[in-house]
Short mmCIF file of all heavy atoms in Angstrom, two decimals:
data_model
loop_
_atom_site.label_atom_id
_atom_site.label_comp_id
_atom_site.label_asym_id
_atom_site.label_seq_id
_atom_site.Cartn_x
_atom_site.Cartn_y
_atom_site.Cartn_z
N TYR A 88 92.62 89.94 118.54
CA TYR A 88 92.00 88.91 117.78
C TYR A 88 90.46 89.15 117.54
O TYR A 88 89.82 88.46 116.85
CB TYR A 88 91.98 87.57 118.44
CG TYR A 88 93.40 86.93 118.55
CD1 TYR A 88 93.64 85.89 119.43
CD2 TYR A 88 94.47 87.42 117.83
CE1 TYR A 88 94.88 85.27 119.62
CE2 TYR A 88 95.71 86.90 117.97
CZ TYR A 88 95.90 85.82 118.84
OH TYR A 88 97.14 85.24 118.96
N VAL A 124 88.11 87.51 125.75
CA VAL A 124 87.57 86.28 126.34
C VAL A 124 87.47 86.23 127.79
O VAL A 124 87.98 87.24 128.40
CB VAL A 124 88.26 85.08 125.77
CG1 VAL A 124 88.03 84.83 124.21
CG2 VAL A 124 89.84 85.13 126.06
N PHE A 126 88.80 84.80 130.45
CA PHE A 126 89.91 85.00 131.43
C PHE A 126 90.36 86.45 131.40
O PHE A 126 90.87 87.00 132.42
CB PHE A 126 91.04 84.00 131.17
CG PHE A 126 91.86 84.24 129.94
CD1 PHE A 126 92.88 85.23 129.86
CD2 PHE A 126 91.61 83.50 128.73
CE1 PHE A 126 93.55 85.37 128.66
CE2 PHE A 126 92.34 83.70 127.60
CZ PHE A 126 93.32 84.68 127.55
N MET A 127 90.21 87.13 130.29
CA MET A 127 90.65 88.58 130.20
C MET A 127 89.74 89.43 131.06
O MET A 127 90.19 90.31 131.79
CB MET A 127 90.75 89.02 128.76
CG MET A 127 91.71 88.29 127.91
SD MET A 127 91.61 88.85 126.13
CE MET A 127 92.73 87.65 125.37
N GLY A 149 84.86 82.04 125.77
CA GLY A 149 85.95 81.58 126.75
C GLY A 149 87.18 81.27 125.90
O GLY A 149 87.44 81.93 124.83
N CYS A 150 88.03 80.41 126.50
CA CYS A 150 89.31 80.03 125.74
C CYS A 150 89.43 78.60 125.92
O CYS A 150 89.50 78.05 127.08
CB CYS A 150 90.40 80.80 126.37
SG CYS A 150 92.09 80.22 125.92
N SER A 151 89.52 77.85 124.88
CA SER A 151 89.56 76.36 124.96
C SER A 151 90.87 75.94 125.64
O SER A 151 90.85 74.88 126.35
CB SER A 151 89.36 75.72 123.56
OG SER A 151 90.31 76.34 122.65
N MET A 152 91.91 76.69 125.44
CA MET A 152 93.09 76.36 126.14
C MET A 152 92.96 76.42 127.70
O MET A 152 93.44 75.63 128.43
CB MET A 152 94.36 77.20 125.69
CG MET A 152 95.61 76.95 126.44
SD MET A 152 96.64 78.30 126.53
CE MET A 152 97.24 78.25 124.85
N ASN A 191 96.08 82.86 130.14
CA ASN A 191 94.95 82.12 129.64
C ASN A 191 94.53 81.04 130.60
O ASN A 191 94.75 79.82 130.31
CB ASN A 191 95.25 81.51 128.24
CG ASN A 191 95.71 82.55 127.24
OD1 ASN A 191 96.26 83.58 127.63
ND2 ASN A 191 95.42 82.31 126.01
N CYS A 279 96.71 75.60 122.25
CA CYS A 279 95.68 76.48 121.63
C CYS A 279 95.38 75.83 120.24
O CYS A 279 96.19 75.57 119.43
CB CYS A 279 96.19 77.89 121.41
SG CYS A 279 95.21 78.77 120.20
N SER A 280 94.06 75.54 120.02
CA SER A 280 93.67 74.87 118.79
C SER A 280 93.94 75.87 117.61
O SER A 280 94.03 75.31 116.53
CB SER A 280 92.22 74.44 118.87
OG SER A 280 91.44 75.52 119.34
N VAL A 281 93.92 77.10 117.70
CA VAL A 281 94.34 77.99 116.55
C VAL A 281 95.75 77.82 116.23
O VAL A 281 96.14 77.65 115.13
CB VAL A 281 93.95 79.44 116.91
CG1 VAL A 281 94.47 80.36 115.74
CG2 VAL A 281 92.44 79.65 117.15
N HIS A 282 96.66 77.89 117.24
CA HIS A 282 98.02 78.01 116.95
C HIS A 282 98.63 76.60 116.69
O HIS A 282 99.76 76.55 116.07
CB HIS A 282 98.78 78.67 118.15
CG HIS A 282 98.48 80.13 118.21
ND1 HIS A 282 97.43 80.73 118.85
CD2 HIS A 282 99.08 81.18 117.53
CE1 HIS A 282 97.30 81.95 118.63
NE2 HIS A 282 98.34 82.34 117.84
N GLU A 307 102.62 80.47 121.07
CA GLU A 307 101.72 79.34 121.45
C GLU A 307 101.79 78.31 120.27
O GLU A 307 101.17 77.17 120.29
CB GLU A 307 100.20 79.80 121.45
CG GLU A 307 99.97 80.54 122.77
CD GLU A 307 98.46 81.10 122.77
OE1 GLU A 307 97.64 80.69 121.92
OE2 GLU A 307 98.24 81.92 123.60
N CYS A 369 89.91 82.84 116.26
CA CYS A 369 89.64 82.34 117.58
C CYS A 369 88.13 82.21 117.73
O CYS A 369 87.44 83.23 117.95
CB CYS A 369 90.24 83.33 118.66
SG CYS A 369 89.76 82.83 120.29
N THR A 371 86.03 81.38 119.87
CA THR A 371 85.37 81.79 121.10
C THR A 371 85.28 83.29 121.16
O THR A 371 84.23 83.85 121.48
CB THR A 371 85.99 81.13 122.37
OG1 THR A 371 87.47 81.25 122.28
CG2 THR A 371 85.61 79.73 122.61
N MET A 372 86.41 83.88 120.81
CA MET A 372 86.35 85.37 120.78
C MET A 372 85.34 85.90 119.77
O MET A 372 84.72 86.95 119.96
CB MET A 372 87.76 85.94 120.54
CG MET A 372 87.91 87.35 121.07
SD MET A 372 89.49 88.08 121.04
CE MET A 372 90.51 87.05 122.07
FE1 LIG B 2 92.46 80.88 123.76
FE2 LIG B 2 93.67 80.13 121.45
FE3 LIG B 2 91.61 81.91 121.46
FE4 LIG B 2 94.02 82.61 122.33
S1 LIG B 2 93.58 82.05 120.30
S2 LIG B 2 92.08 83.02 123.33
S3 LIG B 2 94.64 80.65 123.37
S4 LIG B 2 91.55 79.75 122.08
#
Side-chain angles (χ1 to χ4, degrees):
Y88 294 166
V124 289
F126 70 80
M127 298 176 187
C150 165
S151 50
M152 176 206 281
N191 302 29
C279 164
S280 45
V281 174
H282 289 90
E307 286 176 15
C369 171
T371 41
M372 203 171 300

